Amino acid sequence: DIVMTQGALPNPVPSGESASITCQSSKSLLYSDGKTYLNWYLQRPGQSPQLLIYWMSTRASGVSDRFSGSGSGTDFTLKISRVEAEDVGVYYCQQFLEFPLTFGSGTKLEIK
Amino acid sequence: EVQLQQYGAELGKPGTSVKLSCKVSGYNIRSTYMHWVNQRPGKGLEWIGRIDPANGNTIYAEKFKSKATLTADTSSNTAYMQLSQLKSDDTAIYFCAMQWTIAAMFAYWGQGTLVTVSS
């Protein structure tokens, strides 16, 4: 199985500052079609997860441009610019390259 | 607007089964893959498996192969997951999630069903 490892944030993050969340996969997620099969989700408190970023760097419909995804085949970063109160929650990376699909353990974002 | 409707809570006794539903509106599930994910109290997300409603083909995570059974009814646009031989550590929120067949992400999620296993 592909293991997804997420880093922690130095919480709380001051409102208006930037935050970067890291995720590392145990296998390259770059496929022969040129796409990298790495997604990011946000789970706000008491809610179901919502899609933020897919194919490593493509924002989902309706997602603020304050969110951006980048990376290589195995190392990925979700950057949140100018964090706001509504960004609070747990962020998960997910690999969609092969079954079983796997998630990182989650990174909690708190705002000051 | 695409919506995935799940019931809020189910109670099951140890050793019994529960069947969860996920009714999709706004999109034909024949053009999707329907996934199920769980989240134990205070923990992260865990993928259980996927069904192709068009043909009933399923793929499961190894640890759920004898625990979960995924089915779908295209006439009612609903996906189902049956959990068998319930134990206390099956207590969790179970989410359904929709993947378009041409994409590789969970575009939509249900609100989740909290399954509590208790005698």
Side-chain angles (χ1 to χ4, degrees):
Chain A
D1 298 1
I2 297 177
V3 177
M4 307 297 291
T5 303
Q6 290 187 232
L9 280 172
N11 284 315
V13 177
S15 180
E17 297 288 304
S18 294
S20 290
I21 300 170
T22 61
C23 172
Q24 189 171 54
S25 59
S26 60
K27 177 180 177 177
S28 176
L29 303 183
L30 175 60
Y31 190 56
S32 55
D33 62 1
K35 295 185 173 76
T36 302
Y37 284 75
L38 184 281
N39 303 324
W40 289 98
Y41 300 88
L42 163 61
Q43 186 176 31
R44 295 189 172 100
Q47 296 186 17
S48 53
Q50 65 175 91
L51 178 66
L52 294 175
I53 301 283
Y54 59 96
W55 292 331
M56 187 176 72
S57 60
T58 304
R59 267 190 305 276
S61 176
V63 173
S64 169
D65 60 5
R66 296 186 298 104
F67 292 89
S68 60
S70 63
S72 63
T74 58
D75 293 274
F76 311 98
T77 301
L78 174 70
K79 181 177 179 182
I80 311 168
S81 302
R82 306 181 304 280
V83 296
E84 302 175 357
E86 68 176 19
D87 301 334
V88 163
V90 180
Y91 291 80
Y92 293 94
C93 59
Q94 176 204 39
Q95 67 82 15
F96 223 101
L97 181 69
E98 62 185 41
F99 294 110
L101 305 182
T102 48
F103 293 89
S105 56
T107 300
K108 191 172 187 178
L109 172 63
E110 298 171 346
I111 307 292
K112 181 165 58 177
Chain B
E1 180 191 6
V2 177
Q3 291 188 324
L4 279 60
Q5 183 180 0
Q6 298 184 256
Y7 289 113
E10 294 271 358
L11 177 63
K13 294 185 186 304
T16 66
S17 300
V18 293
K19 189 171 185 178
L20 310 183
S21 64
C22 174
K23 184 170 177 59
V24 178
S25 60
Y27 202 81
N28 190 331
I29 63 171
R30 282 184 170 274
S31 300
T32 74
Y33 298 120
M34 295 299 297
H35 297 255
W36 291 83
V37 173
N38 78 355
Q39 186 169 40
R40 290 185 170 86
K43 302 298 184 184
L45 304 172
E46 184 176 32
W47 181 75
I48 296 170
R50 178 201 91 172
I51 184 167
D52 180 349
N55 56 28
N57 288 347
T58 53
I59 301 172
Y60 296 93
E62 189 66 36
K63 68 178 287 188
F64 290 101
K65 282 184 176 177
S66 58
K67 170 63 63 177
T69 302
L70 305 186
T71 56
D73 179 0
T74 54
S75 66
S76 62
N77 228 38
T78 303
Y80 298 94
M81 177 174 67
Q82 179 164 311
L83 299 170
S84 62
Q85 291 296 312
L86 291 173
K87 301 183 294 186
S88 58
D89 68 353
D90 293 323
T91 294
I93 298 174
Y94 291 85
F95 297 102
C96 60
M98 191 183 91
Q99 172 200 355
W100 292 305
T101 54
I102 60 170
M105 76 290 287
F106 295 162
Y108 297 94
W109 294 70
Q111 286 304 108
T113 297
L114 172 61
V115 174
T116 303
V117 181
S118 174
S119 54

